[in-house]
Amino acid sequence: MRMHTTLRRCILLLSAIFSLLLTTGCEHRQLTDPANKHFMRVYLDENIKNVTHGFYNDAHSEYEIEYSTPRVLRVALYDPATGKQTALGYLQKTGSDERGNYVEGYISASEGEYNMLISKFDCISTHLRDENVYDQVQVYTNPISQPIMNALHSTRDPFEPHNNIVYEPDHFFLESVERIALKNNVQPDTLYNAEGDHFTAESIVYTYYLQVNVKGASRVSSASGYLSGFAGSVNLCDQSLNMNDKVSIYFQLKSNHVSSRSDITQAYAVFNTFGKLPDAEGVLTAVFEFKAADGSVHVEKMVITHLFETEMAKNNQWIIIDDVIEIEEI
């Protein structure tokens, strides 16, 4: 009997202790603390020459440029003292108002001061490297595929040097902010730029229109080429060109506009680039390759450095070559 009484007292004591723990010793917390959540809205500056406006010829507004409004933005926070990435988030809710298109959402980060990089995430040909260090992260594009490289006849000449030939970049939207302060709040707060406004990201990629005269274009089945003297990557923290990364931009030519001379066709291309390197870093050249139906190939190389100094190139990003490339009949 005494044993049963003792057992009962033990059970009652354990029950009391358990009830006490439930009421006073247990604190339920959300996995994501609301005090660490911060709302952001990023407007997109889509005023892009030769993409959304500024066409050389309005009849060519259907360039088939692979551009679409960004739908996902990547937000990376870095420790200003070490430069290392400390938080990463993605904004995915899209919308628009009188100011234009925007992407918004929440990021999670504890209280502190950060350097912040907001960039486009859903890119096809544009990639990031060294993204874990603030002053080292770069955006770049990959070299063209080996089949495309093999198809370029001009690259087969061992005595004719050529730079790394890469795909053109997507329009890469970016906003960089240094020393932004994040605070803990009872409810999620809203982050603003230094002017007290929402953030704005704009593309760091330029779109050029290139045109050249071709005689005998009716004999051409396909045409492509590459432009040398451009930067292959950009440092995101200050949007500066990587001076040690010299590349050539691959492009394909189209032709549907005939000049006043019936035997001359104006072939054109629209290409994207991070920007040309300073003139001191090298000469800008254009290599055109025209393939005829009979399998013959006509290669034409032109120095076009001077054309980038014209008003059309500076103000409109139009490269107009007046020379005539003649495709001779075999």
Side-chain angles (χ1 to χ4, degrees):
M1 186 72 177
R2 181 178 298 177
M3 182 178 297
H4 288 291
T5 302
T6 303
L7 181 60
R8 182 183 178 188
R9 288 177 178 175
C10 289
I11 293 173
L12 291 174
L13 180 61
L14 290 173
S15 298
I17 293 174
F18 184 70
S19 299
L20 183 64
L21 289 174
L22 286 177
T23 56
T24 63
C26 185
E27 181 180 357
H28 295 279
R29 292 182 179 273
Q30 297 183 24
L31 294 178
T32 302
D33 193 334
N36 292 338
K37 292 189 67 176
H38 311 276
F39 175 80
M40 294 178 58
R41 173 177 289 184
V42 183
Y43 282 94
L44 304 168
D45 184 351
E46 297 179 287
N47 187 35
I48 306 173
K49 291 181 179 179
N50 299 311
V51 176
T52 58
H53 77 284
F55 300 108
Y56 180 73
N57 186 327
D58 288 336
H60 290 179
S61 59
E62 67 286 353
Y63 283 137
E64 300 180 10
I65 296 173
E66 293 185 3
Y67 169 79
S68 59
T69 297
R71 303 188 63 83
V72 181
L73 295 180
R74 176 183 185 272
V75 181
L77 300 178
Y78 299 84
D79 184 343
T82 65
K84 294 183 178 180
Q85 181 178 298
T86 58
L88 181 64
Y90 298 90
L91 310 180
Q92 303 184 55
K93 184 179 179 181
T94 60
S96 63
D97 58 21
E98 66 280 356
R99 290 178 58 174
N101 294 317
Y102 61 80
V103 185
E104 63 184 15
Y106 292 88
I107 62 169
S108 296
S110 58
E111 184 176 15
E113 192 175 60
Y114 300 91
N115 290 333
M116 180 168 63
L117 291 176
I118 307 169
S119 59
K120 183 181 177 184
F121 176 72
D122 49 341
C123 293
I124 298 175
S125 63
T126 309
H127 313 287
L128 293 180
R129 61 186 171 211
D130 299 327
E131 61 265 33
N132 293 324
V133 183
Y134 178 70
D135 59 359
Q136 295 181 17
V137 57
Q138 297 180 346
V139 61
Y140 71 100
T141 60
N142 287 325
I144 59 176
S145 66
Q146 196 59 48
I148 295 178
M149 177 67 79
N150 293 340
L152 292 172
H153 284 242
S154 58
T155 63
R156 302 176 186 178
D157 187 351
F159 301 102
E160 181 67 27
H162 58 274
N163 299 312
N164 182 29
I165 304 176
V166 301
Y167 292 108
E168 59 181 317
D170 302 308
H171 272 281
F172 188 81
F173 286 77
L174 175 68
E175 165 78 306
S176 58
V177 183
E178 292 191 347
R179 301 285 180 174
I180 185 171
L182 273 62
K183 299 180 180 180
N184 287 344
N185 298 283
V186 177
Q187 297 296 329
D189 63 341
T190 299
L191 299 181
Y192 297 102
N193 60 21
E195 290 73 35
D197 195 3
H198 292 295
F199 303 97
T200 300
E202 61 181 353
S203 178
I204 60 173
V205 171
Y206 301 92
T207 297
Y208 281 86
Y209 172 88
L210 174 71
Q211 179 177 291
V212 64
N213 299 309
V214 180
K215 183 177 181 180
S218 60
R219 294 187 287 273
V220 175
S221 60
S222 64
S224 61
Y226 52 92
L227 295 160
S228 62
F230 293 92
S233 54
V234 174
N235 302 301
L236 294 196
C237 64
D238 58 4
Q239 301 183 27
S240 62
L241 300 178
N242 185 349
M243 305 298 291
N244 298 318
D245 189 8
K246 185 177 180 181
V247 301
S248 298
I249 305 294
Y250 174 79
F251 63 85
Q252 292 183 316
L253 281 168
K254 302 176 184 179
S255 61
N256 62 2
H257 176 70
V258 180
S259 71
S260 57
R261 288 180 54 184
S262 60
D263 61 338
I264 299 295
T265 296
Q266 292 177 335
Y268 67 90
V270 180
F271 67 93
N272 295 337
T273 172
F274 294 123
K276 75 179 187 71
L277 293 170
D279 295 340
E281 299 299 322
V283 176
L284 294 167
T285 59
V287 177
F288 300 98
E289 292 198 5
F290 300 89
K291 296 182 180 180
D294 61 4
S296 61
V297 178
H298 179 94
V299 177
E300 192 84 19
K301 181 178 180 180
M302 298 179 175
V303 177
I304 60 172
T305 308
H306 64 287
L307 294 178
F308 278 84
E309 298 304 318
T310 64
E311 292 303 312
M312 282 197 292
K314 290 180 178 179
N315 299 332
N316 305 97
Q317 294 157 208
W318 300 337
I319 305 299
I320 309 301
I321 302 175
D322 292 328
D323 297 343
V324 178
I325 298 176
E326 185 170 354
I327 311 300
E328 297 180 356
E329 189 172 2
I330 304 299

